[in-house]
Amino acid sequence: MTITLYELVGVDAARPFSPHCWKVAFALAHKGLDFTTVPLPFTQIGAIEGGATKTVPLIRDGETLVGDSFAIALHLEEAYPDRPSLFGGEGGVALSRFIEKWANATLVPFVGASLLPEIHAALEEDDQAYFRQTREARFGGALEDVARGREERLEAFRNALVPLRAVVKRQPFLGGEGPLFADYIVAGVFQWARVISPFPFIAEDDPVADWFERCLELHDGLGRRVPAA
Amino acid sequence: MTITLYELVGVDAARPFSPHCWKVAFALAHKGLDFTTVPLPFTQIGAIEGGATKTVPLIRDGETLVGDSFAIALHLEEAYPDRPSLFGGEGGVALSRFIEKWANATLVPFVGASLLPEIHAALEEDDQAYFRQTREARFGGALEDVARGREERLEAFRNALVPLRAVVKRQPFLGGEGPLFADYIVAGVFQWARVISPFPFIAEDDPVADWFERCLELHDGLGRRVPAA
């Protein structure tokens, strides 16, 4: 039975960009599960599955609906134990939480703020109004003002990648020799950036860039199917 | 057979302070292994076990000598597979590397710089000369100058604890319901601080403080046997 992944898009339905939806797409591919995607703009998410969710990702797996990327990964791990593991054991589940919190604290604020105008530009008209209103309230300023100065803040962002850089210099993936959900948590953020913007969040000669390239190669080049912005 | 842990001390042999030695002490206790400690000043480390090492921790486990705290944890996991796991599976091993790199990048520089004069004060005379010379070369300034201003930098340090704080708010340990080596990696740093200095690296009302208290309770209060500075 095919799993349905509801995911976020803008004008171009072939360019999903949500980091959390990418985490799930990578996780489904990692498990070798067939899935179809339902692309949605922000303002249609509330109407799907009888109003089941306000946010995506959401998956339908048979009779089961699951939202939240980490919860989806846990569901897949439990429902498909014979497929390649997303966590490599209980320790991997617990420590993936740290990776998630690190990504949310260290990567998402700068990347998210930096992308605001370009995400806005990629959206349909109804979504643009929704996005501007909600994000300007959240960030406390005009989208363009929040993103301004990202060039000056880039060095600090790249410096904050030290733990990631140190690990992927000594092993191919955060997960070790092969990827785990922890890799997808972080790669999802950089894929969000890659699909939306040509801004060079990662320096070309950074081992993090090599790691991200390895992530884009995974699962028959799933991440690369969407060309970079 | 009892394992020997060579560990670093100052004038008071009952107050080991090295973060890396504490990681190993916690790991040995986690495995439920009997161990004896050999306290050493910096300047006697090179003489032990026929010049086997320049740094501690070093353990002797029967015929096997192992140095480096992470390598020791891996050795214990492999040599004593029937004891409680330090990693909770292969995923936990891989992701513990990230925790180590995060701690080394985010915690150790500020804590280490802040403690320099107090570590110096705790050492024997020969060690004091060695410590001042090597650390002043490493940090590029007098011990007292490097540590100066730690009060002003404390807020930034506490802010950098966000990922740790977020995890230990939702689960008792980084390792989940119970501790793993990942917890000891981070707790070792705070124990180093606790044994050497009364400086309040962690705010009293921080969930990180509660987590560290839980770590000090583990293994019959192993960490608490050395009173706080």
Side-chain angles (χ1 to χ4, degrees):
Chain A
M1 184 165 43
T2 295
I3 294 171
T4 302
L5 166 60
Y6 294 97
E7 64 181 2
L8 183 67
V9 297
V11 172
D12 187 345
R15 298 182 65 77
F17 59 85
S18 154
H20 311 297
C21 294
W22 272 108
K23 293 177 200 175
V24 173
F26 284 129
L28 287 162
H30 183 102
K31 284 282 186 191
L33 296 164
D34 285 331
F35 65 102
T36 56
T37 59
V38 177
L40 293 165
F42 279 111
T43 48
Q44 289 180 24
I45 294 171
I48 58 169
E49 294 284 2
T53 187
K54 291 178 176 171
T55 58
V56 289
L58 180 77
I59 68 162
R60 170 169 284 285
D61 183 8
E63 295 302 302
T64 307
L65 283 172
V66 191
D68 177 79
S69 59
F70 207 108
I72 292 170
L74 290 173
H75 163 80
L76 297 177
E77 191 76 347
E78 190 179 310
Y80 304 97
D82 299 335
R83 304 297 187 102
S85 174
L86 285 162
F87 295 102
E90 283 304 307
V93 172
L95 298 183
S96 293
R97 288 287 184 192
F98 186 88
I99 303 285
E100 181 187 50
K101 302 305 184 188
W102 177 80
N104 288 349
T106 309
L107 309 180
V108 169
F110 176 71
V111 172
S114 298
L115 295 178
L116 285 172
E118 289 158 295
I119 295 174
H120 182 267
L123 300 178
E124 292 179 2
E125 203 173 316
D126 284 355
D127 263 26
Q128 286 190 328
Y130 162 85
F131 186 78
R132 183 172 288 281
Q133 186 183 354
T134 54
R135 268 49 178 184
E136 293 192 344
R138 184 186 300 173
F139 285 91
L143 303 182
E144 295 73 15
D145 291 340
V146 174
R148 193 168 293 132
R150 64 182 182 177
E151 293 79 7
E152 287 71 41
R153 295 192 293 276
L154 181 59
E155 187 181 347
F157 173 77
R158 289 177 173 179
N159 286 341
L161 301 179
V162 165
L164 173 61
R165 183 176 303 127
V167 173
V168 299
K169 274 170 83 168
R170 60 165 292 136
Q171 59 194 40
F173 294 97
L174 291 175
E177 290 301 312
L180 291 175
F181 188 60
D183 288 277
Y184 306 141
I185 290 171
V186 181
V189 178
F190 289 115
Q191 177 74 333
W192 180 32
R194 176 181 169 275
V195 170
I196 289 290
S197 174
F199 187 70
F201 289 96
I202 312 173
E204 276 180 30
D205 60 353
D206 189 336
V208 171
D210 300 330
W211 160 82
F212 185 48
E213 290 297 313
R214 289 193 288 277
C215 291
L216 292 175
E217 289 300 321
L218 293 168
H219 317 310
D220 302 321
L222 174 66
R224 222 188 279 290
R225 278 181 224 164
V226 179
Chain B
M1 187 165 42
T2 296
I3 294 170
T4 303
L5 166 60
Y6 294 98
E7 64 182 3
L8 185 67
V9 296
V11 171
D12 187 344
R15 297 182 65 77
F17 59 85
S18 155
H20 311 298
C21 295
W22 272 106
K23 293 178 199 175
V24 173
F26 285 129
L28 287 163
H30 182 101
K31 284 282 185 190
L33 296 165
D34 285 332
F35 65 103
T36 56
T37 58
V38 177
L40 294 165
F42 279 110
T43 47
Q44 289 180 21
I45 293 171
I48 59 168
E49 294 286 1
T53 186
K54 291 178 176 172
T55 60
V56 288
L58 179 77
I59 68 163
R60 169 169 286 285
D61 183 8
E63 295 302 302
T64 308
L65 283 173
V66 192
D68 177 80
S69 59
F70 206 108
I72 292 169
L74 290 173
H75 163 78
L76 297 177
E77 190 76 348
E78 191 178 308
Y80 304 98
D82 299 335
R83 305 296 186 103
S85 175
L86 286 163
F87 295 103
E90 283 304 307
V93 172
L95 298 182
S96 293
R97 288 286 184 191
F98 186 89
I99 303 286
E100 181 187 51
K101 302 305 184 188
W102 176 80
N104 287 349
T106 308
L107 310 181
V108 169
F110 176 72
V111 173
S114 297
L115 295 179
L116 286 172
E118 289 159 296
I119 294 174
H120 182 267
L123 299 178
E124 292 179 2
E125 203 174 314
D126 283 355
D127 264 24
Q128 286 189 329
Y130 163 85
F131 187 77
R132 183 173 289 280
Q133 185 182 355
T134 54
R135 269 48 178 183
E136 293 192 345
R138 184 186 300 173
F139 286 91
L143 302 181
E144 296 72 15
D145 292 340
V146 174
R148 192 166 293 129
R150 62 183 184 178
E151 293 78 6
E152 288 70 40
R153 295 192 293 275
L154 182 59
E155 187 182 345
F157 174 77
R158 290 177 172 178
N159 286 341
L161 302 179
V162 166
L164 173 61
R165 184 176 300 127
V167 172
V168 300
K169 274 171 83 167
R170 61 165 292 138
Q171 60 195 39
F173 293 97
L174 291 176
E177 290 302 312
L180 291 176
F181 188 61
D183 289 276
Y184 306 141
I185 290 171
V186 181
V189 177
F190 289 116
Q191 177 74 335
W192 179 33
R194 175 181 169 275
V195 170
I196 289 289
S197 174
F199 188 70
F201 289 96
I202 311 174
E204 277 181 28
D205 61 353
D206 189 335
V208 171
D210 300 331
W211 160 82
F212 185 49
E213 290 297 313
R214 289 193 289 276
C215 290
L216 292 174
E217 290 300 321
L218 292 168
H219 318 310
D220 301 320
L222 174 67
R224 221 187 279 290
R225 277 181 225 164
V226 178

